[in-house]
Amino acid sequence: QLITSQHWSFISSVLTPSQSSMWFAPISGLTSVTSALAAICVGKLSAVWGIPGVVGAAGLFLAFSVIFGDIAYRVAEKH
């Protein structure tokens, strides 16, 4: 949910209201499908890596998301 919130925050900061309304449905659909696929993958990965491995991977993905989100906001502020 945090990553989705970051995406929406970024999108609303760079798009106009009419552009945002055009992109809302496709992005919402994509995030819903992605969430379902992620849940399936977590179940399978936990059998291979164990719970500590899955939690560690989630932490790494979250850290990268924060870093890339920060970079994206900096780019958006310049343009």
Side-chain angles (χ1 to χ4, degrees):
Q1 293 293 359
L2 175 62
I3 294 172
T4 303
S5 297
Q6 286 178 335
H7 289 142
W8 281 122
S9 176
F10 177 73
I11 289 169
S12 68
S13 70
V14 296
L15 297 179
T16 65
S18 63
Q19 290 172 324
S20 295
S21 65
M22 179 179 74
W23 288 101
F24 176 77
I27 292 171
S28 294
L30 182 62
T31 57
S32 296
V33 170
T34 303
S35 294
L37 292 174
I40 292 168
C41 290
V42 166
K44 292 181 179 187
L45 285 177
S46 65
V48 176
W49 294 349
I51 298 298
V54 172
V55 171
L60 285 174
F61 284 121
L62 182 59
F64 283 120
S65 175
V66 169
I67 291 166
F68 289 128
D70 187 51
I71 292 168
Y73 276 108
R74 289 181 193 173
V75 169
E77 285 178 359
K78 289 180 183 177
H79 302 284

